[in-house]
Amino acid sequence: MRIEEVDFHYLSMPVVRNIGDGSQDALLVQVTMDDGTVGFGECEAAPLVSIAAWCCPMSHSACKPLKSTVLGYEINSAEDIRRLTFEVRRNSFDLLQTDHTLSGIDMALWDALGKKTGRPAWSLLGYRQCFAKTAYASQLVGETPQETFEEAKKAREGGFKATKFGWGPFGQGTVEDDVAHLEAAREGLGDDRVLMIDAGTIWHEDIAAARKRIDALKKCNALWLEEPFHCGALAEYAELSGDGVPLAAGEGSHNPSLAKQMMDFGKVKYIQIDAGRIGGLTSAYEVAEYARRKGVVYVNHTFTTYLALSASLQPFAGMESSYWCEYPVESTELAQTLTTKPIRPDGDGRIQISSEPGLGMEVDFGTVRRFERKVQIDIDNNIIWKSK
Amino acid sequence: MRIEEVDFHYLSMPVVRNIGDGSQDALLVQVTMDDGTVGFGECEAAPLVSIAAWCCPMSHSACKPLKSTVLGYEINSAEDIRRLTFEVRRNSFDLLQTDHTLSGIDMALWDALGKKTGRPAWSLLGYRQCFAKTAYASQLVGETPQETFEEAKKAREGGFKATKFGWGPFGQGTVEDDVAHLEAAREGLGDDRVLMIDAGTIWHEDIAAARKRIDALKKCNALWLEEPFHCGALAEYAELSGDGVPLAAGEGSHNPSLAKQMMDFGKVKYIQIDAGRIGGLTSAYEVAEYARRKGVVYVNHTFTTYLALSASLQPFAGMESSYWCEYPVESTELAQTLTTKPIRPDGDGRIQISSEPGLGMEVDFGTVRRFERKVQIDIDNNIIWKSK
C-alpha cells in the first residue's frame, strides 16, 4: 500500500498556560494509505513548526520538506518503514525540525501497517510477546511542600507503586526548599512506594548545584535523578553519575545517536525516550535494543495522550527487564479524551499493553473537532498548507 | 537599547534545484532596536520553518516561540547577547527548530551592537586583533572526472591556495569512480595547492566504505576528509580517525555541546561551524574557544552569502592558528548580490577580515525586493505572521 495523504490536526486547549504541562496541545498525524487503511500518530512537538517542516519549499538537496519523501511511498513491511525513516533523514538533514515531524508520521505508519496485517506494532517491531509495565505517576512538584505532600498521598491512594515529581519550583529556590519538597514527597508516598525526581534540566551544567541535593535524594531513597543538566552536557552527567544516585535522561534526544551518546558518554542508568520526538517507533526501538545490550533500563517519556502513551510502550513492550512506564496523571481534558478509551493501571498499578492491531487506540473525532486549530500557510499568495 | 522588531526576509531563487547548493535560498534577519539601530543576520536553515519557530503559539513553558523571549530584550553589551541566547534556549528547548532561528537573530544583534558602539563583532566577542584567513574554494565534485579536473584548474587559475571538492556524485558510485575524481582534482590543482575532500555524510555509519577511499585520499595528499558519516556517528568518526587522514566535521552542530562532542568523542582535527545553524556568533565563539584549548583547528562552514561569510569569520577572527576559511565560489546570484559589496580573496588567496562596525556589510535592498517570497501564516483566521 502507498501513502496517499498525511493530515496534521493541530489541537490545543483554549488557554495554554506558562507551565511545564506538555499536554496543553497536541499534533495528531493521520496517514491514509491508497487502500483506505488509516493510521494515527502524534508529534510531541510545536505543532505549527512541525507542519511547516512537512510542507515548506525545498531549500536544497539535503533540506527538503518531509512530504517530498513521504507521499507516495510504498509501505508493506516493517523494513519499508525503516527505509523511509532513513530516507527522510537523508533528504531533510539540514531541516532541524525534521525529527519531530517524522515522529508522528512514523508512528502512524506502524499503526496503519498493524491495522493492515492485524498485528500489534510491538509484534511488527520484532517482539514475540509483551510484558506489563509498572506505572509511575508523573506529577508536577507542588507550589509548596504541603501541596507536594498532598499530591504524593493522592498518588499513593490512586494505587500507584511509584511516583515521579518534577518541574514546578524544584531547583529554582534554595537547597532547603528542595529538601522540603523531597521530604514531603517521601512522606506522602510512604516508605513502600518508589519515588523518582525530575530536575527538568534546571542546573544546566552546574554540577555543584546538583551535588547539593544528592544527600537529600539518597535520604528519600530516590530511584533516579532525572535531567539534572541540559541534554548536551554529557561530561557533567558522567561526573555526577559517580555520586551514587542513578541518573535518568534522554527525552530531548531527537535521533537515536543522541540517546546512545547519553548512555555511552553520559553514563545514565535509565534512558528515557519520547517516541514523539526521537523519530517515532523505528528510532525508539533502535534505542531500546541498544539499551538492552548496554544494560541500561529503557523508560518511555510520555506526558500527553493515551495515543502517545500506547505508542511509547511499543518500542520496549517485549523487554522484560525494562519494567517502568511513565504515566501522566495530570493531563488536560484534550489529552484525556483524544482517544475513545483511556489506558489505566490495573489493580497492581501496572499498565497492560494492548494486543490490538497497530497502536490499539481509536481517535475520538468529537475531541478533534472541539480542540482543533485551523492553520493556513501561504507563500506568494499560494496556499501551501490548509487544515481541512 | 531594546529589541523592538525582528523581520525575516525569505529570499529564494525563482527555481530551486535538487542539488547540494545551499545558496539557492536565504533567510535574512533584520533586527531593529528602539533607538533606530539596525542589525542583519542570516539563518542557514529552512526559511518557512524558521519563521514558524519565531511566531508559533506557545505549547508549554519549555516550548515557546522565540519572539516571546527576544522582543523587548535589553541589549547594551556582549554579556546581554550571551544571556539572551541562554534564555532563548531555556524557554524553547522542546522546539527543535529553535537553534536555527536563533542563529540569524544572534548574528543580527552582534551586528547591531557593533554599529551602536563602532566596533567590529570580533572585537565585541573578545579579540584584540584579527588575522587574515587563507581561503579555500568550495566546489561541487563534477559529474565526470573531466569536469572535476576543469573545476580544479579554474580554482588554481583563480588564485586559490586550496580547494575543497565534495558532494555531487562523490561516494555514490564505485571506489574507482571516486579515485578518478580524486586524481582529477589533484591533477587540476597541481601539487603545490592544498586539496580537501567533503564526503557529505554519504557513508552514513559505514566505516568499511569510507576506508576503501583512504589510500586514494592519502595518495592525492588530501588535507582532510570531511563528513564521511552523519553527525551523530561519533564512534565511527573516532575509529576512522586512526587511519591517517585527519577528519573534519561539525557543520550539522546546532548547539555548542554537539560540536564539543564531535571533538571530544569523534576525534576530529578540524571543527567546522556554520554560525547560521549553531546559534549565531555567541555559540560559534564558544566552540572556537573550546577548540583552541583542545588543539583543534576551527574552520567556518559557509556556502551562501557574503553576509553569512563575514559573520562566520568573526568567531575565530582573532585565532591565528585557525587559518583556513571556507569560501563559496559557485553561489547563486541571490547570494552574490545580497550585500552591496562582495568579500574577495586578496592576491595571496587570503580573506581580510573587516574592521568596520558589526559585521561590516551592507544589505542591498534591491536584491531583497527582487528575490523575496511573501509568507503569511494564519491560525483560526488570525494572522500570526505576514511578510511586510
Side-chain angles (χ1 to χ4, degrees), chain A residues 10 18-20 25 57 59 61 64 94 96-97 204 230 232 254 257 261 277 373-374 376 378-380, chain B residues 10 18-20 25 57 59 61 64 86 94 96-97 204 230 232 254 257 261 277 374 376 378-380:
Chain A
Y10 175 4
N18 189 14
I19 56 170
D25 67 8
S59 288
S61 60
K64 290 177 184 156
D94 278 343
L96 193 46
Q97 190 72 14
H204 197 63
H230 72 81
H254 59 85
S257 298
Q261 289 156 22
R277 290 179 186 155
R373 304 191 68 174
K374 299 293 187 183
Q376 181 171 332
D378 295 9
I379 296 184
D380 295 336
Chain B
Y10 176 4
N18 189 14
I19 55 170
D25 67 8
S59 286
S61 60
K64 290 177 185 156
F86 180 83
D94 278 343
L96 194 46
Q97 191 71 15
H204 197 63
H230 72 81
H254 59 84
S257 298
Q261 289 157 21
R277 290 180 186 154
K374 298 293 186 182
Q376 181 171 333
D378 294 10
I379 296 183
D380 296 337

Side-chain angles (χ1 to χ4, degrees), chain A residues 151-198:
Chain A
E151 291 292 341
K153 227 174 110 186
K154 217 165 62 185
R156 178 187 174 82
E157 286 157 7
F160 287 98
K161 301 292 186 218
T163 299
K164 185 179 84 182
F165 281 94
W167 295 75
F170 190 75
Q172 303 203 32
T174 65
V175 176
E176 291 67 35
D177 292 340
D178 289 349
V179 171
H181 280 290
L182 293 174
E183 287 173 350
R186 173 49 77 198
E187 199 186 329
L189 284 184
D191 285 341
D192 58 336
R193 301 296 160 91
V194 171
L195 170 64
M196 300 91 153
I197 298 297
D198 181 358

Side-chain angles (χ1 to χ4, degrees), chain B residues 28 34 43 49 66 74 79 130 132 146 190 231 238 262 268 378-379:
Chain B
L28 177 69
D34 65 354
C43 304
V49 186
L66 275 79
E74 185 85 30
E79 201 37 58
C130 68
Q146 184 60 31
C231 63
M262 187 52 89
V268 300
D378 294 10
I379 296 183

